[in-house]
Amino acid sequence: MGDLFDRFGRKINYLRLSVTERCNLNCFYCRSGPLPCYDQQKKELQKDDFLQIIRTAAGMGITRVRFTGGEPLLYPQIVALVEETARMKAIKDLSMTTNGILLPKFAYTLAEAGLKRINISIDSLQASRFKRITRGGILDSVLMGIETALDAGFTPVKLNIVLLKNINEGEIIDFVKMTQEQNLHVRFIEYMPIGSELVSWKKYFVPLQKVIEVCKELGKLIPTTGEHGGPARYFRLEDSVGKVGLITPLSRHFCDSCNRLRVTSDGKIKPCLLSATEVDASAVLREKNPLPLLKQKFREAINLKPDPSRVANNAVERAKQLDGYRKMNEIGG
Ligand code: SAM
């Protein structure tokens, strides 16, 4: 099996699968409206369909897989899905993005099943603000999830924080301080206008240069790297154990090193998170011999990955280029 490249010479080796659109939180910037449940569940692919997709991709050059959602721990067959993916020899890196609420129940089982790394989203360390952002979430349940993930041996445990103007931007220092004594990677993410109005994006968007400015108050910032070559730029504070990461899809994009494809819970392959283009893989899953057809769908999706030289490097212009219609919970962040 050879390496997989797109038209612009980017090596594609990373597949992110949103296994469900359902979530047990309702973050105001991520999804719209009340929690939908039953209907969405009907559209989700079955475990064996996801496995067929992963096996096909692994046979073409994919070596890294991440499960996300919605909330991936709500997917009924998540442990078996992790276990069977971990057994695939071609998959060298297996990870998950979760809101952490169900980790006290699942962390040890997932570690045993072969999951290596975990990212936990937490947008505030203040209970009332956390509740407001997530429209009802309980902060302590996520903090307990983080503790269990560390205890279960996931390395590293990364925390994802979407920085939102006039909401949580005052908490930068509190989050960064968490890296001083714990081996956490605290990563700030720029808010993207995914499936939403530019007006609301402008209201909440904070360029992450702000994090650097605020962190300088805490001491010397030492540039460092991540272990898995992702989009985050990292630094750490002198004498701290963990790291701070910045993910800047708008103010300083990283499309020229994009190595990924996404699969939605209803079986659409997305060449780019920030575009509406999709390739439907779900129909071919029902064919007698889906493998060559699925491979064809993956090739189509790779050919549709957008030209990075056309991507604006100015946040407002970049925001205007986004043409998706799905909200983030329907794609998988
Ligand atoms: N439920 C899981 C979780 O909370 O991590 C996985 C899915 S969630 C969609 C994945 C990540 O996407 C979260 O860190 C969330 O904050 C982020 N996200 C959602 N909407 C976003 C947006 N418009 N811009 C930037 N990040 C967003």
Side-chain angles (χ1 to χ4, degrees):
M1 181 235 341
D3 289 336
L4 203 53
F5 291 92
D6 75 0
R7 293 179 297 146
F8 306 99
R10 292 173 294 197
K11 185 169 162 179
I12 310 301
N13 61 3
Y14 187 15
L15 189 66
R16 296 170 70 106
L17 300 108
S18 170
V19 292
T20 178
E21 285 183 14
R22 291 171 297 133
C23 194
N24 42 3
L25 292 180
N26 195 10
C27 301
F28 77 90
Y29 61 84
C30 180
R31 61 191 303 137
S32 47
L35 291 177
C37 264
Y38 184 66
D39 277 356
Q40 259 73 5
Q41 190 164 11
K42 279 201 296 196
K43 286 196 300 188
E44 285 163 13
L45 295 185
Q46 293 297 303
K47 176 196 70 165
D48 288 343
D49 290 334
F50 281 124
L51 287 170
Q52 173 74 269
I53 287 174
I54 298 168
R55 224 175 277 117
T56 305
M60 296 175 78
I62 294 291
T63 56
R64 304 175 55 189
V65 167
R66 174 176 296 272
F67 294 115
T68 177
E71 173 47 44
L73 295 179
L74 289 180
Y75 186 68
Q77 298 159 299
I78 191 66
V79 175
L81 188 54
V82 165
E83 194 164 28
E84 291 180 50
T85 306
R87 275 200 228 117
M88 295 181 200
K89 287 216 165 65
I91 302 304
K92 307 293 182 207
D93 179 40
L94 185 55
S95 57
M96 180 179 288
T97 301
T98 166
N99 60 33
I101 290 176
L102 290 170
L103 281 177
K105 177 175 171 196
F106 280 109
Y108 298 98
T109 323
L110 289 169
E112 253 171 56
L115 191 73
K116 297 280 180 254
R117 306 194 285 123
I118 216 151
N119 292 10
I120 303 173
S121 306
I122 175 166
D123 291 332
S124 177
L125 294 170
Q126 298 192 13
S128 59
R129 184 173 293 144
F130 183 84
K131 193 169 199 165
R132 200 151 42 90
I133 295 173
T134 57
R135 294 189 281 205
I138 309 286
L139 176 65
D140 276 348
S141 58
V142 180
L143 294 175
M144 214 179 293
I146 295 171
E147 230 177 275
T148 321
L150 287 166
D151 196 53
F154 290 108
T155 6
V157 172
K158 299 183 183 176
L159 304 188
N160 287 347
I161 302 115
V162 177
L163 205 60
L164 300 159
K165 197 190 318 180
N166 292 329
I167 297 190
N168 62 359
E169 59 180 333
E171 293 190 55
I172 295 174
I173 287 192
D174 295 339
F175 275 114
V176 170
K177 280 187 173 165
M178 293 176 85
T179 66
Q180 288 179 313
E181 282 171 12
Q182 286 171 292
N183 188 15
L184 291 169
H185 295 191
V186 164
R187 295 142 32 105
F188 295 94
I189 303 175
E190 280 178 350
Y191 171 46
M192 296 173 271
I194 294 187
S196 69
E197 300 286 319
L198 269 183
V199 184
S200 88
W201 172 75
K202 280 189 181 147
K203 186 168 161 202
Y204 298 119
F205 175 71
V206 187
L208 292 188
Q209 183 58 26
K210 162 112 192 192
V211 175
I212 297 185
E213 279 150 26
V214 170
C215 284
K216 281 181 184 158
E217 291 170 27
L218 291 176
K220 193 170 167 203
L221 313 183
I222 301 164
T224 177
T225 51
E227 287 88 19
H228 300 93
R233 283 177 288 132
Y234 284 99
F235 63 84
R236 62 181 186 80
L237 288 169
E238 226 168 4
D239 299 329
S240 64
V241 195
K243 299 178 183 181
V244 179
L246 305 180
I247 302 179
T248 54
L250 291 155
S251 68
R252 185 171 153 180
H253 75 79
F254 29 81
C255 302
D256 46 1
S257 58
C258 182
N259 61 350
R260 56 194 63 184
L261 289 172
R262 289 180 155 79
V263 174
T264 62
S265 60
D266 54 353
K268 309 285 191 296
I269 307 174
K270 281 189 76 71
C272 170
L273 170 67
L274 304 178
S275 146
T277 307
E278 297 176 350
V279 175
D280 188 4
S282 64
V284 305
L285 287 165
R286 305 275 78 83
E287 297 287 337
K288 229 180 180 168
N289 180 14
L291 189 72
L293 300 166
L294 257 184
K295 277 189 169 170
Q296 185 51 38
K297 295 288 176 191
F298 271 110
R299 278 190 216 103
E300 248 177 75
I302 288 169
N303 277 333
L304 288 166
K305 280 189 75 64
D307 181 348
S309 71
R310 289 173 176 246
V311 176
N313 225 336
N314 160 306
V316 176
E317 290 311 311
R318 179 66 185 128
K320 286 186 195 155
Q321 287 179 332
L322 269 53
D323 69 349
Y325 61 91
R326 289 185 188 248
K327 295 290 282 184
M328 192 70 135
N329 72 293
E330 298 168 50
I331 306 172

